[in-house]
């Protein structure tokens, strides 16, 4: 009976020791996660601010990423919840990730670009042009923008699509 009680006592001591080690490990993991997330957040926010500053002659608020935890975030441009600003923020986030990571390319559809103000598009197209990585875009009505934008688009165009035989594979897929 004494041996059984000693085993129970030893098992309890081992359990409390393991629980304490687990608490310490969880605390260390939480601190490391917070530190790493803060480092990632700072790098992304710094790059988005740099890109945002490139777009405008006067200072405007850049989008901000707040990584609350490994599975929770907030992304916004402070004091501006407009559609154009939100799409611009998304484009700048993508460009920041392209520059900060090993991603070889990004793709932006005309839907994203159409919702961004013309002055921002001018700068975004210039950023695209300066990138050393591949950026694929679907872009409509390039002649509606500045001459600089039109020249950059024309210089870098690989494929142009249009109606009446200029569709990809020579025909429209939605016609019967």
């Amino acid at each position: 009976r004494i041996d059984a009680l000693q085993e129970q006592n030893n098992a309890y001591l081992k359990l409390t020791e393991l629980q304490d080690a687990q608490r310490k490990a969880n605390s260390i993991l939480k601190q490391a996660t917070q530190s790493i997330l803060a480092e990632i957040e700072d790098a992304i926010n710094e790059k988005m601010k740099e890109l945002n500053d490139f777009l405008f002659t006067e200072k405007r608020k850049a989008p901000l990423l707040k990584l609350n935890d490994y599975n929770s975030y907030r992304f916004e441009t402070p004091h501006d919840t407009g559609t154009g600003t939100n799409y611009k923020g998304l484009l700048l986030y993508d460009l920041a990730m392209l520059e900060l990571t090993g991603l070889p390319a990004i793709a932006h559809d005309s839907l994203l670009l159409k919702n961004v103000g013309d002055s921002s598009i001018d700068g975004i197209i210039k950023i695209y042009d300066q990138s050393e990585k591949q950026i694929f875009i679907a872009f409509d009505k390039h002649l509606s923008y500045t001459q600089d934008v039109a020249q950059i688009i024309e210089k870098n165009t690989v494929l142009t699509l249009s109606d009446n035989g200029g569709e990809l594979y020579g025909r429209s897929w939605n016609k019967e």
Side-chain angles (χ1 to χ4, degrees):
R1 180 176 161 105
I2 291 175
D3 287 344
L5 291 173
Q6 281 181 333
E7 280 186 42
Q8 285 179 345
N9 196 26
N10 288 340
Y12 174 76
L13 292 174
K14 187 66 171 174
L15 175 64
T16 57
E17 181 183 317
L18 290 172
Q19 287 172 335
D20 187 46
Q22 182 181 22
R23 274 191 294 279
K24 287 179 183 175
N26 285 340
S27 176
I28 291 168
L29 176 62
K30 185 175 181 177
Q31 289 174 354
T33 300
Q34 288 173 340
S35 175
I36 291 167
L37 290 176
E39 195 175 307
I40 291 168
E41 179 183 298
D42 289 345
I44 292 169
N45 286 332
E46 184 178 312
K47 181 53 69 176
M48 286 192 302
K49 181 171 181 1
E50 177 187 318
L51 294 169
N52 192 70
D53 288 348
F54 180 83
L55 298 181
F56 305 105
T57 52
E58 62 183 27
K59 295 288 181 196
R60 295 208 184 163
K61 292 182 179 178
L64 287 174
L65 175 66
K66 175 63 179 147
L67 299 172
N68 303 318
D69 207 348
Y70 71 91
N71 62 352
S72 172
Y73 71 93
R74 190 178 76 243
F75 185 77
E76 66 182 353
T77 300
H79 309 294
D80 190 346
T81 59
T83 302
T85 299
N86 288 337
Y87 278 94
K88 177 197 67 144
L90 175 61
L91 294 169
L92 293 180
Y93 174 81
D94 286 352
L95 287 164
M97 295 305 295
L98 180 68
E99 201 164 316
L100 293 171
T101 68
L103 283 174
I106 58 171
H108 287 153
D109 189 67
S110 59
L111 173 69
L112 297 171
L113 299 165
K114 284 181 185 178
N115 285 293
V116 176
D118 291 354
S119 62
S120 296
I121 287 295
D122 187 54
I124 289 169
I125 296 296
K126 289 176 182 173
I127 292 170
Y128 288 162
D129 190 43
Q130 294 172 3
S131 178
E132 294 182 14
K133 295 185 179 182
Q134 286 194 305
I135 300 173
F136 301 93
I137 64 170
F139 197 75
D140 297 329
K141 302 177 184 171
H142 70 281
L143 297 176
S144 300
Y145 296 93
T146 65
Q147 186 175 355
D148 287 347
V149 168
Q151 288 175 341
I152 291 169
I153 296 296
E154 288 174 11
K155 175 181 82 171
N156 292 290
T157 296
V158 175
L159 176 65
T160 301
L161 303 175
S162 64
D163 293 331
N164 302 318
E167 298 90 356
L168 191 60
Y169 303 110
R171 68 181 183 93
S172 177
W173 294 95
N174 64 354
K175 291 182 182 176
E176 291 188 32

